[in-house]
Every structure is written in structure tokens, then in C-alpha cells.
Amino acid sequence: MSREKKEIIAMLLAGGQGSRLNKLTEKIAKPAVPFGGKYRIIDFTLSNCSNSGINTIGVLTQYRPLELNKHIGMGSPWDLDRKDGGVTILAPFMSADGGRWYKGTANAIYENFHFIEQYNPEYVLILSGDHIYKMDYSQMLDYHKEKQAEATIAVIRVPWEETNKFGIMNVDNKSRITEFDEKPRVAKSNLASMGVYIFNWKVLKKYLIEDEMDKNSHHDFGKNIIPNMLRDGIPLYSYLFTGYWKDVGEVRSLWESNMDLLKEDNTLDLYDRNWRIYSNNPANPPHYISSTGKVKSSLLNEGCIIHGEVNNCVLFPGVVVGQNSVVADSVIMPGVKIGDNTCIKRCIIMSNVSVPSNTVLEGKENDEIILVNQ
Amino acid sequence: MQDVMGVINLSEDEAALRDLAKYRPVAAIPIAGRYRIIDFILSNMVNVGIQNVSIFTQGKSRSIIEHLGHGKAWDLDRKMDGLFVFNPYSNPKESTIHKGDIKNFVDQLEYIKYSRQKYVFLSRSYMICNLDLKAVYKFHKDSGADITMLYKHVKGEKDKYLNCDTLNMKEEKVVSIGRNIGKVEEFNVFMEMCILKKSLFIEIIENCISKGDAVYLKEAIYQQVSKLNVNGFAFDGYLGCINSIENFSRVNMELLDVEISKELFNKNGYIYTNVKDEPPTKYSESASVTNSMVANGCIIEGTVERCIISRGVKIGKNAVVKDCIIMNKCVIEDGASLQYVILDKNIEISSDTALRGAAKKPMVINKNQKI
């Protein structure tokens, strides 16, 4: 079947287990973890694609895909239910010469070669489904073309003391990448890779095939593909992104990035009508704050019923807070019922948990955030 | 319920809803922060598996068509059956529009005839409730009546159902139809919903044309009360009636009672509406909100008491909003003060403006204005 040629298609890596989120990802993949009161982490990348005019996306799943598959469906919340293209879930599969799990990020793309080829794209955008940010990929593509790059890597400035957690790009004065250091002890720059790459498909194809042959390879973009391209002197450019970007890889950073939304100077504007973040919308009535309820510095969603006090919290749809209860500095996921006379501080409470009346759950300042799953 | 088709007749009395129904049919008036009036009956229908729903408008249908789209929000974007919207035809030769609504049904008789269903559930939009239509269907079939009309027995609520039709009953039979003009304390308010065989429905419409004795479908059906076996089905849940500004305000405010809103939004199934992908509502440090219903996408920095706040509303610092119904995308700037006001969509209230209606007569502000 011949298809319309697409200039660019996106491949979204959504297979991560996110083991550092521990109990949060026991039953769901990291990209399906709820975030920001009504979203799941993957909504940000999917909405970015949709808003950037990219309408062909392959979502590579592997770990615990049930919730993720259900969430994505046929892509209609992101306007990705298209006649040609749209969103396609790409799970590991069996073929005549056996089947296997994806061995690494590069291998995952290699295994879905045929998916990309059928659109015959000029460019392939590689994304990861674990980050919170709003980015116009079409501007990055314009930059990629202007630089006549073979590959462009989006980078963000990180604090120097955190450079050892990231893949760091060393660049020349024309933004051409000269060197790539994966989690360096002593960094030469603070430009960290965001895991967002645009490749010319012809070149990427060649490197993926070579990498697949290499028995010693980790089959990873950061560890293998990028270093191999640099070794061969291929023009790779960095694209500096300056907005809000957060890797929500740990319980603490997930909590922090939710709390960021409550700050007055928060740079992740969810209220911009020209760059909506789309998600599935539950059929709930507006939230209700009773005559005893008090809500300050918080995000609330539809279906919540508040009889108690809510301060500096992010509440997902359908949360109930009982009389005389105080909930502060916490993230309360969908359908959580909190009884009366309960005190909750610095917690993440997972979906559909019931907290009985007269409970005290307080995370101490600077300590780990309490994660409640039952 | 595959055997029942839903017909929603939007030829409704708009006069007492004044400005709220100036540019839109009653069915499209925003209510309860994120819904439109038609969502309730439409959701009741789809919640029991009715898959063929037609909406007969009276013209003025832009907002209702925009709201319904292809019916996706109600799962009515079907290959087989689904959602149909019929506007009245005008006669190009005389460029006249016929009096009454019966012509609209005659024009679409073909659609009604060729639909696969055996029964018709006929309704208006302005009575809102969460209804178990399966029970109605079963009652109708078991009783063997020609027509079953739905009513609610009420006592001491004559204002709430002012100018509504009432059913005079003898046991289960409807013997005559009257009207609540506010003189009687106890009566059976007719919910303007009924179920009947499709063949009878067609017969009534055709008779009406051949005899020419009714121009409204309602008249034609009322004429059957003396001729046929017409039963009443008693509904005993919450019933909101939106036939005037006062009642519109009353129904919205009644939803501030958690028990009522739980029933209306959940009892026999959810109420669906068009989704807008609004972000969560943000409350600032200075916000103070009590006894109010607030939809998504708002930014609240001021004081709000006993209000219904719709999607995407902004309320600035030191603004005080009490006993109000605020529709989509209104902006109330810092220091403004409102009480007993209904703001239609997209109104900007500049800072330090004060507006005040009366508890019994809320002030209504027309949409798209800056004050």
C-alpha cells in the first residue's frame, strides 16, 4: 500500500519502566503517570506534536502498556485520528526470525524500520515520553534545515552542579556539536540533551543498520548512535531550548514539577489557548467547594468535592476532601477519597486510594515525599 | 433499548428566558458551569443505549449544531443511526415559515419511517433530570398503553413549575391536561416526555395534516388523551425546569446542594458534554471560595460565594462575586463587585465596577460586552 509521503514523522519512546518512581510505576509505564491535575506525562509530547503540525507518530511501548494504550486510543484527544498517519502504537512483536524485547532506544527504532519506511519521510523526530515541556518542533525543524544539519539535538542549560546527571553536549561557536559526554564527572559545558532529536532519515537509517550489526553496542542513541556520528564528522547541531523542561524520573522531581505549577512565576503556561495540552476528559461536573471548604494556592479539577482545607496542592478529578481535614503541599491523584479530620502534608496519593478519617500523613521538610498507594 | 429512537423537539417557549435565548435555542443555554441544557436529555438517552437521536430545531441552530458536532461526546458518531439535526424548511416560493412545528416533522417523515426502531421517545430539552429510561420503556410495554407520559407529583413547588402543563390522572390513566398557573399547591407536572409506538407517532402526524386541526405536535398528542389509552409514569427524582430567568437561576443554585448534584450528574449514568480541554482551575493565595461550583480553566484570585463559575473565567484580586452565575470566558477584574448577576458568555467587568440584581430578579448581562 502506498502512502502519502510525509516530510517528518515522530517516534515517541514510551517503553520506560521508570523504576525510580517505584510504586507509581508498578502497574503503569512512566509516560502514563498522572501529572498536573488532569494530564499524563505523555500528553505533553503528544500535544507538542499535534500543535507543531506533526500528525504521524509511532509510540513505542514495552513496559506495562495497558493503561497507556487505553489512554492513547486512536489519538482523538490530540487530533491524531487521521485517515493517513495519526498515532500508531508500536509494541515489540514476533517475526519469522523470532521476536524479542527492544534492546535499547536505537534498537526500538530499528525494529520499526518498516513503519517509518512506509511514509518515506525526509526527517525523523525522536522523542521521549517522560518529560514535561512545551516545545514547537516545527521551529526546531526550520533550524535543522537552515543549519543543513544531518542531526539536530535539542539542549537545555542545566545548573552546573547537575551536569553529572545528563548527557552533556560540547559545542563550537556556531552551535555545532563537537563532543558528547554522557553524565560527565567534570563537565565542559552545561548544555544537556533533552532526548529530542531530528535526524535526516537517510543518515539515521545507515547508522541504525550499522549499530544493529555491532555486537558490543548498547543500541542506545546517547551511548552509540550520536558518538558514532560525531566520530565520522557528520554535521550535528545543538538547538537551545529556553522554556520549562523537567525530567520527572523520581518521586521527588514528580512532586516538585507539580508544585512548580502553583508558583506565580511558573513558566509552563497551561492556560495558553494557542498551545493547549490535550488529554482525555472525564465526564465529571465542575468541582464544588462547600461552605466549610477553603482552597488556596492550588489546582483543582472537575468532580472534586471539598469540605476541608486545601493549601498548595494539585488535585486530580474526583477527589473528595472531608470536613476538618487539612491537605497541604501534596499531589492527590484521580478518585482519591480523604475522610474527615485528616491531616496530609507533603504526600503523593495515588489513584483511587481511600484515606480513612482521623489519619495523619505528614512528610517532614527536606525528607522524602510520602508516596501512598493503599 | 436498540428498539427506541429518541426525538428531541426544540420548539420551546423562549419568551421568559429573554436575553439568554436571544441568539440561541433554550437547549443551548449554558448551565451548571460546563453543560448546555440539551446535554441532560441527550445523555439520558445514550445512557440506556438509544443510538438513533434526532433533534428538531426551530431555526436559530448555530450554537446547538456547534455544540453537538457529530455527536462524538455522546458516542453518537455512528455509522448506523447516530445523531440527526433537522432545521425547518422554508418555502422558497413564498419564503414563509409555517406556524407551529408539525411541518418540521412532516418534512422529515421519511427519516422517521425508515428508522429501524419500533418505539419513539419524544422529549423537549428544558426539563432536566437523571432518568432511568429503561424503567420507562418497561413500564410502557408492560402496561400495554398507547402512549405513556412522564410526570412528577409535586407539592408546594408551584413557582418552580410555573406555566408547566399538568396531568390530571385517574389511577394510572391520564384523563386530561391542564396547566399550573400558580393557583394549586399540589399537581402532577408533565415532563414533556412520552413514549409511544413509532407507527402511532407517524399516524398522529399524518392525521394532523389531513385534518389540519393542530399546528403543534404537542396539541396533536394532547388530542389523543380522550381517544386513546394514555398512561402516566411517575418520576420521583430531581426535576429542574428551565422556562424562565428565575427558574434558570433557581436550578443552577439548587446544584450547590451536593446531594442534588450527585443525583443529577451520576444517578443512572453520567451527563456528557462537549469537551474543551481546559486546564485545571488555579486558586491563588488570595482566593477565598465557599459554597460554589467551579468548572475547569478558571483563574480565581478574589472572593466567591454561592456561585456557579463556568469554564475559563478569570476573577481578579479583591473582586467579590456573590450569588452569581458566570458563564464561559468572563473576566472580572480586580476590585469589581457583583451580586445576583447572570453574566452571559465572554463579558469583561472592568475593575471597581459594581453590579447588583435582586435575589428574586437576577440581573442578566448580554454576551460579548465590556462593562
Side-chain angles (χ1 to χ4, degrees):
Chain A
M1 187 173 74
S2 78
R3 286 181 181 269
E4 188 191 333
K5 180 183 166 67
K6 300 271 178 183
E7 186 189 28
I8 182 164
I9 73 167
M11 297 295 274
L12 204 167
L13 299 159
Q17 184 179 349
S19 47
R20 284 171 302 152
L21 284 166
N22 64 54
K23 285 182 243 163
L24 268 172
T25 51
E26 235 168 45
K27 298 207 174 74
I28 51 175
K30 182 175 164 189
V33 168
F35 174 83
K38 72 172 283 191
Y39 310 101
R40 292 181 188 257
I41 295 172
I42 198 171
D43 291 340
F44 286 82
T45 10
L46 286 175
S47 302
N48 284 343
C49 283
S50 177
N51 287 328
S52 304
I54 297 173
N55 59 28
T56 307
I57 303 171
V59 178
L60 297 110
T61 61
Q62 176 149 298
Y63 175 78
R64 289 272 183 189
L66 178 66
E67 285 247 354
L68 193 57
N69 291 352
K70 196 176 138 204
H71 180 67
I72 294 173
M74 56 182 207
S76 41
W78 305 271
D79 245 351
L80 291 170
D81 48 337
R82 299 298 175 113
K83 271 197 158 81
D84 194 22
V87 66
T88 309
I89 303 234
L90 302 168
F93 56 90
M94 298 291 288
S95 64
D97 49 342
R100 66 229 129 223
W101 295 112
Y102 297 143
K103 286 176 285 189
T105 49
N107 173 253
I109 305 294
Y110 174 83
E111 292 281 344
N112 290 291
F113 222 85
H114 56 287
F115 171 78
I116 302 175
E117 286 280 89
Q118 64 183 342
Y119 295 105
N120 187 21
E122 283 303 309
Y123 309 101
V124 174
L125 170 67
I126 308 287
L127 300 166
S128 124
D130 320 345
H131 301 136
I132 305 290
Y133 65 112
K134 295 194 331 184
M135 180 176 181
D136 188 344
Y137 303 131
S138 68
Q139 285 179 7
M140 181 173 168
L141 180 62
D142 290 345
Y143 174 91
H144 176 83
K145 289 180 196 163
E146 184 191 306
K147 290 282 182 187
Q148 298 185 319
E150 294 288 0
T152 301
I153 303 175
V155 295
I156 186 153
R157 286 197 190 280
V158 294
W160 281 94
E161 59 275 18
E162 288 181 21
T163 46
N164 59 351
K165 293 188 198 158
F166 294 97
I168 296 297
M169 302 288 163
N170 301 323
V171 301
D172 68 12
N173 56 5
K174 291 202 174 75
S175 296
R176 182 164 171 170
I177 298 167
T178 52
E179 215 179 342
F180 173 76
D181 287 336
E182 180 72 19
K183 298 179 183 162
R185 255 187 244 148
V186 185
K188 291 175 212 151
S189 112
N190 65 343
L191 296 174
S193 165
M194 295 164 62
V196 174
Y197 313 95
I198 291 178
F199 290 102
N200 291 354
W201 173 232
K202 275 193 197 114
V203 175
L204 179 63
K205 193 154 74 175
K206 175 168 164 276
Y207 278 85
L208 285 176
I209 295 169
E210 272 178 29
D211 178 69
E212 191 59 24
M213 307 293 207
D214 182 356
K215 289 268 183 312
N216 299 321
S217 170
H218 291 93
H219 307 295
D220 185 87
F221 277 97
K223 287 184 189 134
N224 307 100
I225 303 290
I226 304 297
N228 289 349
M229 286 183 168
L230 283 172
R231 178 199 63 204
D232 296 348
I234 277 179
L236 264 66
Y237 282 84
S238 68
Y239 174 75
L240 186 65
F241 176 73
T242 50
Y244 183 94
W245 180 83
K246 195 128 184 165
D247 179 5
V248 285
E250 293 166 16
V251 173
R252 197 186 170 80
S253 61
L254 179 68
W255 177 84
E256 271 172 4
S257 53
N258 273 288
M259 291 298 128
D260 284 347
L261 296 172
L262 304 175
K263 290 182 186 152
E264 295 285 327
D265 58 349
N266 157 48
T267 48
L268 185 74
D269 180 10
L270 295 176
Y271 298 84
D272 181 0
R273 287 184 193 276
N274 298 320
W275 205 272
R276 267 278 142 88
I277 305 302
Y278 303 104
S279 190
N280 279 302
N281 291 270
N284 278 324
H287 58 263
Y288 173 70
I289 303 173
S290 79
S291 39
T292 54
K294 250 188 214 162
V295 178
K296 280 196 193 308
S297 310
S298 294
L299 291 184
L300 255 69
N301 269 283
E302 283 157 351
C304 293
I305 299 177
I306 313 296
H307 297 292
E309 202 178 315
V310 175
N311 204 343
N312 212 37
C313 288
V314 174
L315 267 54
F316 283 75
V319 172
V320 177
V321 178
Q323 304 265 9
N324 297 318
S325 290
V326 179
V327 187
D329 309 321
S330 296
V331 178
I332 317 288
M333 290 191 178
V336 171
K337 308 274 178 277
I338 297 171
D340 301 337
N341 309 310
T342 288
C343 184
I344 290 170
K345 212 176 169 192
R346 295 173 70 82
C347 289
I348 295 180
I349 303 190
M350 287 169 60
S351 306
N352 301 317
V353 169
S354 280
V355 182
S357 295
N358 309 308
T359 310
V360 177
L361 287 168
E362 281 192 40
K364 297 279 173 291
E365 205 70 32
N366 298 323
D367 273 356
E368 263 308 305
I369 302 304
I370 304 182
L371 184 64
V372 185
N373 74 334
Q374 56 191 351
Chain B
M1 297 293 284
Q2 289 269 20
D3 215 15
V4 181
M5 60 189 282
V7 174
I8 305 175
N9 182 7
L10 299 190
S11 133
E12 299 180 279
D13 190 2
E14 296 165 350
L17 282 154
R18 299 192 299 270
D19 285 348
L20 289 180
K22 197 168 174 182
Y23 303 105
R24 50 167 94 92
V26 175
I29 295 176
I31 185 167
R34 68 189 287 263
Y35 302 91
R36 298 204 184 228
I37 287 174
I38 198 169
D39 294 341
F40 293 89
I41 187 62
L42 207 48
S43 302
N44 283 329
M45 287 177 174
V46 300
N47 280 336
V48 292
I50 294 179
Q51 280 198 19
N52 183 6
V53 178
S54 52
I55 294 169
F56 288 80
T57 79
Q58 222 184 1
K60 217 165 52 172
S61 56
R62 182 191 58 79
S63 60
I64 199 85
I65 289 170
E66 198 180 308
H67 177 67
L68 296 170
H70 291 111
K72 196 177 181 66
W74 300 267
D75 235 355
L76 283 173
D77 51 336
R78 305 282 107 209
K79 277 195 171 165
M80 179 75 97
D81 297 335
L83 182 73
F84 299 84
V85 180
F86 299 118
N87 289 317
Y89 294 164
S90 65
N91 182 341
K93 271 188 201 148
E94 309 159 25
S95 66
T96 50
I97 292 178
H98 288 263
K99 183 173 169 352
D101 56 21
I102 200 83
K103 175 75 168 44
N104 205 358
F105 290 91
V106 174
D107 288 339
Q108 310 302 344
L109 215 47
E110 209 159 314
Y111 154 77
I112 298 168
K113 279 184 177 164
Y114 289 118
S115 289
R116 298 174 299 155
Q117 288 76 12
K118 247 173 87 184
Y119 291 88
V120 173
F121 182 78
L122 182 65
S123 180
R124 305 271 172 137
S125 73
Y126 76 99
M127 292 271 192
I128 66 166
C129 57
N130 195 316
L131 178 68
D132 178 11
L133 275 173
K134 269 201 178 113
V136 176
Y137 179 55
K138 189 171 180 299
F139 177 90
H140 178 71
K141 276 175 78 167
D142 291 351
S143 72
D146 296 314
I147 302 176
T148 299
M149 293 180 158
L150 280 72
Y151 70 91
K152 186 184 176 185
H153 183 81
V154 296
K155 205 171 166 179
E157 291 184 304
K158 58 184 184 189
D159 289 348
K160 195 172 161 182
Y161 304 107
L162 197 64
N163 293 324
C164 291
D165 290 344
T166 57
L167 302 185
N168 300 313
M169 315 273 302
K170 198 171 181 184
E171 281 152 18
E172 280 188 347
K173 298 264 173 291
V174 179
V175 289
S176 66
I177 292 170
R179 175 171 273 236
N180 165 36
I181 52 169
K183 295 285 182 205
V184 185
E185 286 299 331
E186 194 175 348
F187 51 86
N188 299 317
V189 56
F190 178 37
M191 294 161 70
E192 298 227 23
M193 297 174 191
C194 60
I195 184 166
L196 67 167
K197 277 217 173 89
K198 194 181 80 176
S199 51
L200 176 61
F201 184 59
I202 293 168
E203 202 185 305
I204 293 173
I205 294 170
E206 284 178 337
N207 269 341
C208 202
I209 294 301
S210 51
K211 291 195 185 134
D213 53 0
V215 289
Y216 285 98
L217 181 64
K218 186 163 148 175
E219 282 177 77
I221 290 192
Y222 284 6
Q223 284 169 3
Q224 311 305 317
V225 169
S226 53
K227 298 179 199 160
L228 299 172
N229 181 9
V230 180
N231 267 357
F233 174 92
F235 170 74
D236 58 0
Y238 173 81
L239 181 68
C241 164
I242 301 146
N243 61 357
S244 65
I245 298 271
E246 293 72 26
N247 277 340
F248 170 77
S249 173
R250 180 200 307 266
V251 169
N252 273 291
M253 291 305 163
E254 278 172 348
L255 296 180
L256 295 181
D257 179 331
V258 178
E259 292 312 312
I260 290 180
S261 62
K262 268 188 189 160
E263 182 195 325
L264 187 61
F265 294 117
N266 299 312
K267 195 176 177 195
N268 299 301
Y270 296 126
I271 305 301
Y272 301 98
T273 190
N274 198 353
V275 299
K276 293 270 194 257
D277 288 286
E278 291 282 356
T281 281
K282 190 171 190 174
Y283 291 88
S284 79
E285 183 63 46
S286 57
S288 162
V289 179
T290 50
N291 202 8
S292 295
M293 208 176 201
V294 186
N296 270 13
C298 301
I299 299 178
I300 314 275
E301 298 182 289
T303 300
V304 177
E305 286 174 28
R306 296 177 302 279
C307 289
I308 305 282
I309 311 286
S310 307
R311 299 193 273 209
V313 168
K314 287 192 179 123
I315 297 180
K317 283 189 185 115
N318 299 318
V320 180
V321 186
K322 292 181 180 175
D323 307 290
C324 289
I325 299 163
I326 311 292
M327 296 190 193
N328 297 2
K329 291 193 199 168
C330 287
V331 179
I332 298 166
E333 290 181 357
D334 298 358
S337 143
L338 304 177
Q339 190 168 21
Y340 301 117
V341 176
I342 299 173
L343 293 188
D344 206 326
K345 289 164 71 174
N346 207 12
I347 292 173
E348 234 183 290
I349 303 287
S350 10
S351 43
D352 304 317
T353 309
L355 293 175
R356 201 187 144 96
K360 291 243 163 95
K361 288 267 170 229
M363 177 193 276
V364 181
I365 311 288
N366 262 343
K367 65 179 189 178
N368 305 330
Q369 289 193 63
K370 187 171 176 173
I371 293 175

